[in-house]
């Protein structure tokens, strides 16, 4: 199996600029940084560490939060200026601050612009970390943020300053109850013009071992966000069943396990969306790695993601249903947080229905199928079942291409 995981990456976000990709992530000890590491790549596969945004935690953020490093950066470009939103906090605390920095280049130098949002037990019941900045379909700018301790909020930004439009903390759009430790964070909103929906991605459960990525959608950027079954992302009942589950811990036969995929951002490049997130090779370890996966859209208006971390191989749509029939090694996610191991499942021609192009229906499941153009050919599929739980499959075959 071909893998090129970039190690030491946590809470990643990527921006492209003049033929290069720039990766920003949480401070870790891989390498040891305290001011947001920056990596650079030509192909999204091979990365080079090129420095940090700051030489340490900015003074205002340090004095407010006592942060030893910065978390979960968000980078956007507006009017030829790059804006970077950073989170300053300590684990288990709501004494937190989202700050802003600006630069003429992703490589810096970066100028700290100070506070965007501050929280503490005296000011609020939620937490100012994990910023995501999004433009709605009317080109109004919003900040999405929050975590455990109160949920996910959205607030309007002044596009010219990049800071809050008013003094409000905004509107609650997602929350989980105390029965699951209020475990939600790392939110990201994407607007899909084709379906005219806003999609709210968020990470559930513990980043150390049980992280998993869920998504809900809404016609209004302020919600309400619901999943495929109509469950609201703000609710206190059956919290484990809320949200379309895109990714969780899994292991295919004869391959290394992927644990706790989460805290995603989304890269849009050349008409393709990529889910950018971290995962772990072992639970409760510092073996966290970068994952970049293509996002595909089903005809029902919901996203699925490739089971393959990006490798440089092209994923070609499979429109010949005969190639799909046969034995598959399959991962089928469930509502739980434990790791899911693959099983062998046979797809027969009798129940297979081709919806369009490379999208198929098998029983109550819908999915898309692709091949990889490496020398060892492999068909892969990604789909959703009727409950909004993702499944993935692999099927090997050899096919010769003329040169």
């Amino acid at each position: 199996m071909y893998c090129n995981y970039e190690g030491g990456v946590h809470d990643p976000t990527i921006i492209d600029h003049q033929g290069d990709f720039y990766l920003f992530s949480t401070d870790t000890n891989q390498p040891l940084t305290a001011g947001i590491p920056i990596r650079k790549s030509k192909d999204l596969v091979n990365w080079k560490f090129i420095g940090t945004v700051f030489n340490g935690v900015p003074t205002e953020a340090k004095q407010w939060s006592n942060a030893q490093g910065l978390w979960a950066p968000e980078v956007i470009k507006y009017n030829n200026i790059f804006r970077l939103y950073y989170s300053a906090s300590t684990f288990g605390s709501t004494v937190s601050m989202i700050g802003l920095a600006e630069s003429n280049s992703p490589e810096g130098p970066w100028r700290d612009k100070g506070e965007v949002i501050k929280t503490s037990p005296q000011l609020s019941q939620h937490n100012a970390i994990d910023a995501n900045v999004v433009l709605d379909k009317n080109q109004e700018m919003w900040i999405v943020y929050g975590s455990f301790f109160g949920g996910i909020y959205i607030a309007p930004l002044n596009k010219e300053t990049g800071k809050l439009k008013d003094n409000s903390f905004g509107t609650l759009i997602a929350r989980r109850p105390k029965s699951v430790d209020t475990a939600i964070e790392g939110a990201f909103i994407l607007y899909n013009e084709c379906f005219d929906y806003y999609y709210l991605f968020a990470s559930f459960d513990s980043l150390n071992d049980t992280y998993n990525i869920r998504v809900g959608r809404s016609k209004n950027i302020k919600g309400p966000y619901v999943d495929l079954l109509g469950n609201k992302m703000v609710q206190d009942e059956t919290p484990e069943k809320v949200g379309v589950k895109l990714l969780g811990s899994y292991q295919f036969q004869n391959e290394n396990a992927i644990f706790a995929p989460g805290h995603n951002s989304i890269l849009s490049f050349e008409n393709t969306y990529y889910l950018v997130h971290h995962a772990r090779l072992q639970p409760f370890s510092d073996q966290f790695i970068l994952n970049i996966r293509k996002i595909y859209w089903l005809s029902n208006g919901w996203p699925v993601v490739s089971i393959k971390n990006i490798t440089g191989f092209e994923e070609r749509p499979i429109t010949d249903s005969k190639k799909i029939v046969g034995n598959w090694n399959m991962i089928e996610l469930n509502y739980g947080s434990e790791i899911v191991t693959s099983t062998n499942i046979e797809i027969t021609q009798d129940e297979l229905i081709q919806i369009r192009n490379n999208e198929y229906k098998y029983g109550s499941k819908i999915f898309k199928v692709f091949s990889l153009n490496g020398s060892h050919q492999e068909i892969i599929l990604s789909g959703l079942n009727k409950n909004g739980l993702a499944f993935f499959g692999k099927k090997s075959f050899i096919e010769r291409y003329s040169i």
Side-chain angles (χ1 to χ4, degrees):
M1 181 184 66
Y2 178 85
C3 292
N4 190 24
Y5 296 122
E6 180 70 12
V9 176
H10 211 275
D11 312 328
T13 190
I14 295 173
I15 193 168
D16 66 281
H17 179 59
Q18 297 181 348
D20 292 306
F21 297 99
Y22 292 88
L23 166 65
F24 299 80
S25 57
T26 285
D27 284 316
T28 71
N29 61 357
Q30 303 174 53
L32 180 62
T33 61
I36 302 175
I38 308 172
R39 293 171 171 88
K40 185 176 180 180
S41 174
K42 286 287 187 183
D43 57 9
L44 294 174
V45 176
N46 301 287
W47 295 92
K48 180 181 179 181
F49 174 76
I50 62 170
T52 58
V53 173
F54 303 117
N55 292 326
V57 178
T59 300
E60 181 184 10
K62 178 77 170 181
Q63 291 176 346
W64 178 259
S65 67
N66 197 34
Q68 302 304 302
L70 297 175
W71 299 347
E74 161 77 323
V75 182
I76 66 166
K77 186 179 182 181
Y78 181 74
N79 282 349
N80 295 317
I81 296 295
F82 292 90
R83 289 176 177 168
L84 182 144
Y85 293 80
Y86 58 85
S87 299
S89 188
T90 56
F91 191 77
S93 172
T94 61
V95 181
S96 307
M97 173 179 142
I98 293 172
L100 171 65
E102 292 184 341
S103 176
N104 295 322
S105 164
E107 298 189 26
W110 291 88
R111 304 174 294 277
D112 184 39
K113 308 296 285 188
E115 172 194 347
V116 177
I117 305 171
K118 286 178 179 175
T119 55
S120 71
Q122 292 73 39
L123 293 175
S124 65
Q125 300 299 311
H126 65 294
N127 199 14
I129 64 170
D130 295 357
N132 162 234
V133 175
V134 59
L135 290 174
D136 66 21
K137 61 184 178 181
N138 299 315
Q139 297 303 297
E140 295 299 319
M141 187 175 286
W142 302 79
I143 186 169
V144 185
Y145 71 102
S147 72
F148 293 60
F149 313 105
I152 307 300
Y153 282 72
I154 186 168
L157 291 180
N158 181 316
K159 287 197 288 187
E160 303 312 312
T161 65
K163 296 192 175 184
L164 289 178
K165 205 170 192 178
D166 52 45
N167 292 322
S168 168
F169 285 121
T171 302
L172 178 70
I173 58 173
R175 181 190 62 211
R176 303 188 75 208
K178 291 182 180 179
S179 62
V180 288
D181 297 324
T182 67
I184 185 172
E185 59 187 10
F188 193 101
I189 288 180
L190 172 70
Y191 176 67
N192 186 308
E193 185 177 2
C194 294
F195 296 109
D196 191 28
Y197 273 106
Y198 296 95
Y199 293 82
L200 171 63
F201 297 77
S203 294
F204 283 17
D205 301 327
S206 167
L207 63 84
N208 288 307
D209 61 335
T210 58
Y211 242 12
N212 59 98
I213 298 175
R214 311 275 181 128
V215 62
R217 70 182 185 183
S218 174
K219 287 290 187 180
N220 190 311
I221 196 168
K222 294 171 66 176
Y225 287 88
V226 299
D227 63 18
L228 188 147
L229 297 180
N231 298 311
K232 293 182 179 180
M233 297 291 278
V234 178
Q235 67 133 284
D236 294 327
E237 299 177 2
T238 60
E240 71 282 356
K241 295 184 178 181
V242 174
V244 168
K245 189 172 182 179
L246 293 184
L247 267 181
S249 300
Y250 67 87
Q251 184 173 22
F252 277 102
Q253 292 176 6
N254 303 316
E255 294 188 10
N256 293 329
I258 295 294
F259 290 95
H263 202 118
N264 77 275
S265 60
I266 293 175
L267 169 67
S268 176
F269 181 71
E270 294 184 344
N271 299 314
T272 299
Y273 291 120
Y274 297 87
L275 191 81
V276 180
H277 67 93
H278 71 254
R280 279 173 164 73
L281 296 178
Q282 291 291 335
F284 295 95
S285 77
D286 60 0
Q287 296 182 52
F288 33 80
I289 54 174
L290 172 67
N291 272 204
I292 305 172
R293 305 167 187 262
K294 284 187 177 181
I295 298 176
Y296 299 109
W297 297 89
L298 301 176
S299 57
N300 63 3
W302 288 99
V304 292
V305 299
S306 175
I307 197 59
K308 284 288 189 179
N309 186 47
I310 193 169
T311 61
F313 291 153
E314 180 185 357
E315 296 183 7
R316 298 177 175 178
I318 294 291
T319 58
D320 182 357
S321 64
K322 295 185 181 67
K323 294 183 178 179
I324 300 170
V325 174
N327 291 314
W328 287 78
N329 195 223
M330 201 82 74
I331 297 286
E332 297 187 87
L333 299 183
N334 54 46
Y335 291 123
S337 296
E338 65 279 357
I339 189 169
V340 175
T341 56
S342 62
T343 57
N344 292 320
I345 295 176
E346 184 177 4
I347 293 180
T348 63
Q349 188 71 58
D350 294 345
E351 294 186 64
L352 185 64
I353 299 172
Q354 189 166 12
I355 298 174
R356 62 179 185 184
N357 300 324
N358 67 322
E359 183 174 342
Y360 299 84
K361 183 176 182 180
Y362 191 73
S364 62
K365 300 175 180 178
I366 56 174
F367 55 93
K368 286 194 169 182
V369 188
F370 300 86
S371 68
L372 300 180
N373 67 343
S375 57
H376 174 249
Q377 292 301 314
E378 188 172 47
I379 300 178
I380 57 175
L381 65 78
S382 298
L384 293 176
N385 68 17
K386 64 181 181 180
N387 294 319
L389 296 167
F391 59 92
F392 312 93
K394 296 182 179 183
K395 179 175 181 282
S396 296
F397 73 107
I398 301 296
E399 182 174 343
R400 298 185 182 275
Y401 292 95
S402 59
I403 299 177

